[in-house]
Amino acid sequence: MTSIIIQGHGIVGRSTELFLKNFNPSLKIEFNDPPKGELVSDEEWAQADYLCICVPTDLDNNLVIPENSTANVDAAINEAIEKGFTGKFV
């Protein structure tokens, strides 16, 4: 069975889950969202096939030309690597 971790359990993460389950109802999907207290175990990180990153990219007004910050995306990727994720990032 294909195992997917979705980083972020907000509207984008929930929509991603609905989209994926629509095409393959047998997927095993776990959410990892530390601010909401939803944490995936180290064992699940090590066994997951895919990671979907669905975290906020807030506007950074400190830049000369404001653009969306990728700090949360970077943090999500780093957390996955630290937890032993070896699958594919999407």
Short mmCIF file of all heavy atoms in Angstrom, two decimals, residues 55-58 68-78:
data_model
loop_
_atom_site.label_atom_id
_atom_site.label_comp_id
_atom_site.label_asym_id
_atom_site.label_seq_id
_atom_site.Cartn_x
_atom_site.Cartn_y
_atom_site.Cartn_z
N VAL A 55 2.29 23.64 3.32
CA VAL A 55 2.45 24.60 4.42
C VAL A 55 2.31 26.03 3.89
O VAL A 55 2.50 26.27 2.70
CB VAL A 55 3.81 24.41 5.12
CG1 VAL A 55 3.90 23.03 5.77
CG2 VAL A 55 4.96 24.61 4.15
N PRO A 56 1.98 26.97 4.78
CA PRO A 56 1.82 28.36 4.34
C PRO A 56 3.12 28.97 3.83
O PRO A 56 4.20 28.67 4.33
CB PRO A 56 1.37 29.09 5.60
CG PRO A 56 0.95 28.05 6.56
CD PRO A 56 1.68 26.80 6.20
N THR A 57 3.00 29.81 2.82
CA THR A 57 4.12 30.60 2.32
C THR A 57 3.74 32.07 2.46
O THR A 57 3.29 32.71 1.52
CB THR A 57 4.45 30.26 0.85
OG1 THR A 57 3.26 30.41 0.07
CG2 THR A 57 4.97 28.85 0.71
N ASP A 58 3.90 32.56 3.68
CA ASP A 58 3.47 33.92 4.01
C ASP A 58 4.27 34.97 3.25
O ASP A 58 5.44 34.77 2.93
CB ASP A 58 3.63 34.16 5.52
CG ASP A 58 2.85 33.14 6.34
OD1 ASP A 58 1.72 32.82 5.95
OD2 ASP A 58 3.38 32.66 7.37
N ASN A 68 6.62 35.74 -1.50
CA ASN A 68 6.28 34.72 -0.53
C ASN A 68 7.54 34.07 0.04
O ASN A 68 8.46 33.74 -0.69
CB ASN A 68 5.38 33.67 -1.16
CG ASN A 68 4.00 34.22 -1.41
OD1 ASN A 68 3.84 35.11 -2.22
ND2 ASN A 68 3.03 33.71 -0.71
N SER A 69 7.53 33.90 1.34
CA SER A 69 8.66 33.28 2.04
C SER A 69 8.57 31.76 1.93
O SER A 69 7.49 31.18 2.06
CB SER A 69 8.62 33.67 3.52
OG SER A 69 9.54 32.90 4.26
N THR A 70 9.71 31.14 1.71
CA THR A 70 9.75 29.67 1.65
C THR A 70 10.27 29.07 2.96
O THR A 70 10.58 27.89 3.01
CB THR A 70 10.63 29.19 0.48
OG1 THR A 70 11.95 29.69 0.66
CG2 THR A 70 10.07 29.65 -0.85
N ALA A 71 10.33 29.88 4.01
CA ALA A 71 10.88 29.40 5.29
C ALA A 71 10.11 28.18 5.81
O ALA A 71 10.73 27.22 6.30
CB ALA A 71 10.86 30.52 6.33
N ASN A 72 8.79 28.17 5.70
CA ASN A 72 8.00 27.03 6.18
C ASN A 72 8.23 25.79 5.33
O ASN A 72 8.24 24.67 5.84
CB ASN A 72 6.51 27.38 6.21
CG ASN A 72 6.16 28.39 7.28
OD1 ASN A 72 6.88 28.54 8.27
ND2 ASN A 72 5.06 29.09 7.09
N VAL A 73 8.42 25.99 4.03
CA VAL A 73 8.71 24.86 3.14
C VAL A 73 10.08 24.28 3.50
O VAL A 73 10.23 23.06 3.61
CB VAL A 73 8.66 25.30 1.66
CG1 VAL A 73 9.07 24.15 0.75
CG2 VAL A 73 7.28 25.82 1.30
N ASP A 74 11.06 25.15 3.69
CA ASP A 74 12.40 24.70 4.09
C ASP A 74 12.34 23.91 5.40
O ASP A 74 12.96 22.85 5.53
CB ASP A 74 13.35 25.88 4.26
CG ASP A 74 13.61 26.63 2.96
OD1 ASP A 74 13.36 26.05 1.88
OD2 ASP A 74 14.06 27.78 3.02
N ALA A 75 11.57 24.42 6.37
CA ALA A 75 11.45 23.74 7.67
C ALA A 75 10.79 22.37 7.50
O ALA A 75 11.19 21.40 8.15
CB ALA A 75 10.66 24.61 8.64
N ALA A 76 9.78 22.28 6.64
CA ALA A 76 9.10 21.01 6.41
C ALA A 76 10.04 19.99 5.78
O ALA A 76 10.06 18.81 6.17
CB ALA A 76 7.87 21.23 5.52
N ILE A 77 10.83 20.42 4.81
CA ILE A 77 11.79 19.52 4.17
C ILE A 77 12.84 19.07 5.17
O ILE A 77 13.16 17.88 5.27
CB ILE A 77 12.45 20.20 2.95
CG1 ILE A 77 11.41 20.40 1.84
CG2 ILE A 77 13.64 19.39 2.44
CD1 ILE A 77 11.87 21.26 0.70
N ASN A 78 13.37 20.00 5.95
CA ASN A 78 14.40 19.66 6.94
C ASN A 78 13.86 18.70 7.99
O ASN A 78 14.56 17.77 8.40
CB ASN A 78 14.96 20.92 7.59
CG ASN A 78 15.83 21.72 6.64
OD1 ASN A 78 16.42 21.17 5.71
ND2 ASN A 78 15.90 23.02 6.85
#
